[in-house]
Amino acid sequence: MASDRGRATEEVGATVETEQLQITSATPDSALLDLPWRLPLADWPTDVLAALPRGISRHVVRFVRLDGRVLAIKEISESVAFREYGLLRQLRKLEIPGVVPLGVVTGRRDDDGEPLEAALVTEHLAFSLPYRAVFSQALRPATATRLIDALAVLLVRLHLVGFYWGDVSLSNTLFRRDAHQFAAYLVDAETGDLHRTLSQGQREYDLDLARTNIIGELMDLAAGELLDDEVDEVGIGDALIARYSELWEALTGVESFASDERWRVAARIERLNDLGFDVGELSITTDIDGTTVRIQPQVVDAGHHSRRLFRLTGLDVQDNQARRLLNDLDSYQAATERQEEDPQLVAHDWLQNVFHPTVRAVPRDLRRKLEPAQLFHEILDHRWFISEQAGHDVPMPETTRSYVEHVLRHRPDEKAILGLAPGEEDPDDVAEPGDPEDDHFHLST
Ligand SMILES: Nc1ncnc2c1ncn2[C@@H]1O[C@H](COP(=O)(O)OP(=O)(O)OP(=O)(O)O)[C@@H](O)[C@H]1O
Ligand SMILES: [Mg+2]
């Protein structure tokens, strides 16, 4: 009798335990419940996993497919998971490029009722590359510099909103191609902290850590013969500090000039626009006798070109890609002699007659190799190249055919250089993310 009661209690207990699994999310998705949370992440079956390039990390991180989306799951302690989730959400509100947090899963238990670690769920950042996947053989000096430039921009943006990162490194950053440059995204916010503003000391400390980490990462690459001999590890680490300081000064520095040189206000704004920033607020002060003017940007927002392109076309792309597309739109406007027309109408026609047909002319399976805006950018480069060879302007349809046959098909396959640890997924099985067009283009109405 007593033992019967004992069993009943056990059964009830087991039911309660299954119900203990908790998903905390601002955008709850019940499909998440279908994932095998009762297994340690390292043991998840390959049929739910998506083998995509992943950087080095202390924690177990896996990508899974769910309802046509790809999610990134990281196993960490509950308190750290909630902290990182909260920080990523705040950074998203501040429009910082970073991974998008989806939720935290807690109360996990295995089949024996033993507790398992909590999990942080983020959206997989489509078309992103861990830095080791950016280069196909060895990291060359020019590529290293472009990675550092992108990281410097991200760090400045984070510092402008008061975020102290605490562990800036190439591994904690994801890169996306952005025309001839890269755009950097924050992936690991675990060590970060959001303040109202950062002191110079805090910024310098963060920067110094970044330099040390980067030099270490480059030395690791050198030890594994993945670094071009020409790359100077310490030089690249120093370059980050130089780039950061230059940009910080351009964005926040005080400029003084004589009061009859007021054109310098407009020139400063233009310079910032050129760097891809909009000036939200600029303080202008004069000294007592009015002979000297001082200006200092108070609020600057990144994304100058991408905002303009978005307003005109509804295309949501990165800043350097947007700059490239806007240039093409400008030349379309000039070539069709429509300078006097409403820019939005011209932009609409450019989308219908140039942008969309070009992207659609790329075979679907190859289109997945790059974001549409990046494809378009490369096709423009290719047009310049073959037009120069031909001695006349080659039209877009012909350029696109030539680009597909001679360039895109032969592009080194980024997915084949994952630097996987022994026993991990076979690089040949690497799957592609969902259709880029569906993921990245929002047409405004
Ligand atoms: N949402 C995401 N999209 C794409 N890749 C991701 C995403 N989340 C994680 N990754 C990949 O997983 C790697 C490890 O993630 P993360 O840096 O958060 O782990 P970690 O264990 O906290 O790292 P660390 O060792 O620095 O503490 C990243 O470098 C990145 O390549
Ligand atoms: Mg990390």
Side-chain angles (χ1 to χ4, degrees):
M1 185 74 190
S3 71
D4 267 347
R5 202 182 301 135
R7 200 162 59 231
T9 322
E10 220 169 67
E11 272 164 20
V12 171
T15 334
V16 172
E17 256 142 39
T18 356
E19 282 169 4
Q20 268 174 359
L21 187 78
Q22 258 198 356
I23 300 178
T24 308
S25 168
T27 47
D29 180 354
S30 60
L32 274 179
L33 290 168
D34 298 336
L35 292 172
W37 297 111
R38 295 183 140 257
L39 296 173
L41 191 50
D43 299 342
W44 282 21
T46 42
D47 60 333
V48 295
L49 296 180
L52 291 161
R54 191 173 62 223
I56 303 163
S57 64
R58 275 170 295 177
H59 301 102
V60 180
V61 177
R62 291 288 181 271
F63 302 129
V64 304
R65 286 179 190 288
L66 194 69
D67 279 354
R69 288 187 301 168
V70 181
L71 311 180
I73 303 184
K74 166 157 90 166
E75 242 170 25
I76 31 174
S77 78
E78 188 170 325
S79 59
V80 177
F82 277 115
R83 201 182 125 65
E84 190 166 4
Y85 175 67
L87 278 171
L88 288 173
R89 286 195 66 197
Q90 282 174 296
L91 290 176
R92 190 161 167 71
K93 285 196 191 115
L94 293 164
E95 299 186 355
I96 293 294
V99 296
V100 178
L102 288 180
V104 174
V105 180
T106 51
R108 296 173 63 205
R109 281 179 189 273
D110 67 13
D111 285 332
D112 300 325
E114 292 300 318
L116 292 172
E117 256 194 327
L120 170 71
V121 185
T122 55
E123 255 173 45
H124 174 262
L125 182 65
F127 295 103
S128 64
L129 300 166
Y131 74 100
R132 280 174 180 255
V134 165
F135 43 96
S136 48
Q137 276 135 21
L139 179 60
R140 291 200 306 264
T143 314
T145 306
R146 287 186 299 153
L147 293 178
I148 292 299
D149 280 353
L151 187 51
V153 174
L154 176 62
L155 195 56
V156 164
R157 290 185 65 178
L158 286 165
H159 286 177
L160 282 171
V161 300
F163 186 79
Y164 173 80
W165 195 339
D167 194 14
V168 193
S169 67
L170 292 170
S171 319
N172 285 337
T173 311
L174 286 168
F175 296 90
R176 259 178 168 176
R177 296 189 186 283
D178 181 13
H180 290 296
Q181 310 290 325
F182 287 106
Y185 288 70
L186 173 140
V187 63
D188 189 345
E190 197 186 315
T191 46
D193 238 330
L194 201 54
H195 302 260
R196 214 173 57 77
T197 54
L198 294 183
S199 66
Q200 186 169 339
Q202 284 170 312
R203 291 195 296 108
E204 280 170 0
Y205 197 75
D206 220 11
L207 201 53
D208 192 51
L209 213 68
R211 177 180 174 277
T212 311
N213 280 342
I214 288 165
I215 294 173
E217 286 171 313
L218 294 177
M219 286 181 167
D220 273 354
L221 289 181
E225 288 177 14
L226 286 169
L227 193 69
D228 194 293
D229 292 340
E230 307 261 291
V231 176
D232 160 16
E233 297 92 333
V234 176
I236 297 278
D238 290 342
L240 175 82
I241 302 204
R243 273 297 286 151
Y244 170 98
S245 311
E246 198 183 313
L247 192 56
W248 184 267
E249 178 59 25
L251 293 175
T252 64
V254 179
E255 198 175 327
S256 301
F257 42 84
S259 58
D260 59 354
E261 288 185 297
R262 288 209 204 132
W263 56 270
R264 289 177 62 167
V265 177
R268 177 77 178 263
I269 294 175
E270 218 169 278
R271 213 160 58 238
L272 290 175
N273 288 167
D274 223 42
L275 288 170
F277 287 79
D278 278 325
V279 181
E281 218 179 287
L282 182 85
S283 86
I284 304 184
T285 46
T286 52
D287 60 359
I288 297 186
D289 57 6
T291 51
T292 318
V293 178
R294 291 155 157 274
I295 54 172
Q296 183 177 28
Q298 301 288 323
V299 180
V300 288
D301 297 303
H304 171 71
H305 301 96
S306 60
R307 262 194 300 277
R308 188 174 152 228
L309 184 74
F310 185 77
R311 277 197 303 273
L312 285 172
T313 63
L315 292 178
D316 188 3
V317 308
Q318 295 159 119
D319 216 49
N320 288 308
Q321 291 169 339
R323 189 189 301 238
R324 197 74 208 278
L325 266 54
L326 285 165
N327 281 341
D328 193 60
L329 171 57
D330 285 344
S331 43
Y332 174 80
Q333 188 165 21
T336 50
E337 294 181 13
R338 297 172 66 182
Q339 285 93 331
E340 305 303 317
E341 266 186 58
D342 178 349
Q344 234 154 359
L345 289 179
V346 182
H348 179 264
D349 290 347
W350 171 82
L351 261 187
Q352 297 307 319
N353 300 328
V354 183
F355 183 81
H356 288 320
T358 302
V359 173
R360 282 194 200 116
V362 175
R364 230 181 146 70
D365 54 322
L366 297 178
R367 230 187 278 167
R368 292 176 172 226
K369 285 198 181 197
L370 293 172
E371 280 182 287
Q374 189 67 19
L375 270 180
F376 192 79
H377 152 77
E378 293 205 351
I379 293 170
L380 290 179
D381 269 2
H382 189 68
R383 185 175 59 180
W384 182 85
F385 177 71
I386 60 173
S387 297
E388 194 187 48
Q389 279 190 331
H392 61 85
D393 270 347
V394 179
M396 276 308 253
E398 196 182 324
T399 304
T400 310
R401 274 195 299 280
S402 161
Y403 167 80
V404 167
E405 287 319 310
H406 300 111
V407 183
L408 192 61
R409 265 189 211 295
H410 312 285
R411 266 180 79 95
D413 215 341
E414 277 164 1
K415 59 189 190 183
I417 32 130
L418 310 184
L420 295 176
E424 292 206 50
E425 301 93 313
D426 176 358
D428 292 337
D429 282 346
V430 170
E432 298 277 1
D435 188 348
E437 265 195 334
D438 300 337
D439 285 342
H440 287 280
F441 281 84
H442 313 286
L443 283 179
S444 66
T445 45

